[in-house]
Amino acid sequence: MNFRNWVRFYFHTLLIGIGIGVVTGFAVRWNDYKHLFYNLEFSEIGMTTLWFIGIGAIFATLSQMGYFAYLTVHRFGLGFFRSLWNPVQVVVIAFVLFDLVYLRYNAFANEGESIWAYVLIALFLFLIGTVIAYLKAKQSNNRKTFIPALFFMVCATILEWVPVLRTNAQDWFYLMLIPLLVCNAYQLLSLPKYLEQSKKERMELKKRKEQEAVAK
């Protein structure tokens, strides 16, 4: 990817993260902020919106850092494990989801609390990851991309989500998760478009240089 398209890729991800962050922020904390809308307190609404814009921007940037880190890990995995890389990813996905349930339940569950609330979070993340991975495999017309895409959507999202998972702050729980999921899905599905555009621009630049050389 050339620099211009990388910048476009980053800012499009950033704008999506900001938009989702604002919407999710007001939705998750509606009970705290609904009086601002009822009383038409525009200055307070504006300040709160700016706060959620900043939060969304941070999450979008974290998502993109995670995505490029994943691409590095993926290349390393292909080189080291070769044909075993997909089975290894399946094992890691299962292990990470198990830990998401087991460790959080042991750390935060009250006495007598059911484990199912913790299982549902992991199941939700897995189902979203499965849908995005299916779309990725369909987009690339290659079934082998399903497992890497699922690995990214599950494992990378949980890794990016760790700061909130450690504190178990319920408001931040969804405020961080939703923008991360949306930004991760967008990057996974849109990267080929930017790569293709970069390739096209390089070819056009090469052709233009060749024409200029002939003209001289």
Side-chain angles (χ1 to χ4, degrees):
M1 189 188 303
N2 61 29
F3 180 74
R4 180 165 59 179
N5 282 298
W6 181 85
V7 171
R8 290 173 179 170
F9 185 52
Y10 170 73
F11 277 106
H12 288 167
T13 305
L14 185 68
L15 291 174
I16 289 172
I18 287 172
I20 298 299
V22 171
V23 172
T24 304
F26 279 114
V28 168
R29 304 190 63 181
W30 177 246
N31 287 334
D32 296 329
Y33 296 121
K34 62 183 179 182
H35 69 279
L36 300 178
F37 293 90
Y38 294 156
N39 299 326
L40 299 179
E41 299 179 25
F42 295 113
S43 61
E44 291 296 327
I45 292 172
M47 293 298 294
T48 305
T49 301
L50 286 176
W51 165 252
F52 287 135
I53 285 174
I55 294 299
I58 291 172
F59 294 160
T61 302
L62 180 63
S63 170
Q64 188 158 79
M65 291 171 62
Y67 186 51
F68 282 99
Y70 160 74
L71 292 176
T72 302
V73 170
H74 183 61
R75 297 311 303 176
F76 173 79
L78 286 173
F80 187 80
F81 293 104
R82 299 183 185 276
S83 61
L84 293 176
W85 178 226
N86 269 3
V88 168
Q89 290 180 95
V90 172
V91 173
V92 174
I93 290 168
F95 181 77
V96 169
L97 286 173
F98 174 80
D99 278 354
L100 178 65
V101 175
Y102 180 76
L103 295 180
R104 291 190 63 249
Y105 180 73
N106 278 349
F108 302 115
N110 297 317
E111 185 176 354
E113 184 180 356
S114 172
I115 196 174
W116 282 107
Y118 299 86
V119 172
L120 288 176
I121 291 294
L123 183 60
F124 169 76
L125 190 57
F126 178 75
L127 290 176
I128 294 296
T130 299
V131 171
I132 300 302
Y134 169 78
L135 294 175
K136 179 64 177 179
K138 188 175 180 180
Q139 178 193 64
S140 62
N141 199 27
N142 183 357
R143 289 182 296 177
K144 292 182 179 180
T145 63
F146 179 86
I147 296 301
L150 181 61
F151 179 88
F152 171 68
M153 288 301 300
V154 172
C155 298
T157 300
I158 290 175
L159 185 61
E160 295 161 356
W161 199 21
V162 162
V164 170
L165 293 177
R166 285 179 174 175
T167 62
N168 202 40
Q170 291 303 307
D171 286 351
W172 286 93
F173 199 78
Y174 297 103
L175 180 57
M176 189 174 190
L177 175 62
I178 303 304
L180 285 177
L181 280 174
V182 174
C183 288
N184 285 345
Y186 171 76
Q187 291 180 99
L188 193 64
L189 296 174
S190 67
L191 181 62
K193 179 184 70 174
Y194 292 93
L195 293 175
E196 185 62 30
Q197 182 63 28
S198 296
K199 181 180 178 181
K200 181 179 178 182
E201 289 176 1
R202 283 195 299 269
M203 291 178 64
E204 290 175 350
L205 179 60
K206 181 180 179 181
K207 185 178 179 180
R208 191 159 57 245
K209 287 182 176 179
E210 290 174 348
Q211 290 174 345
E212 290 174 356
V214 171
K216 290 179 180 179

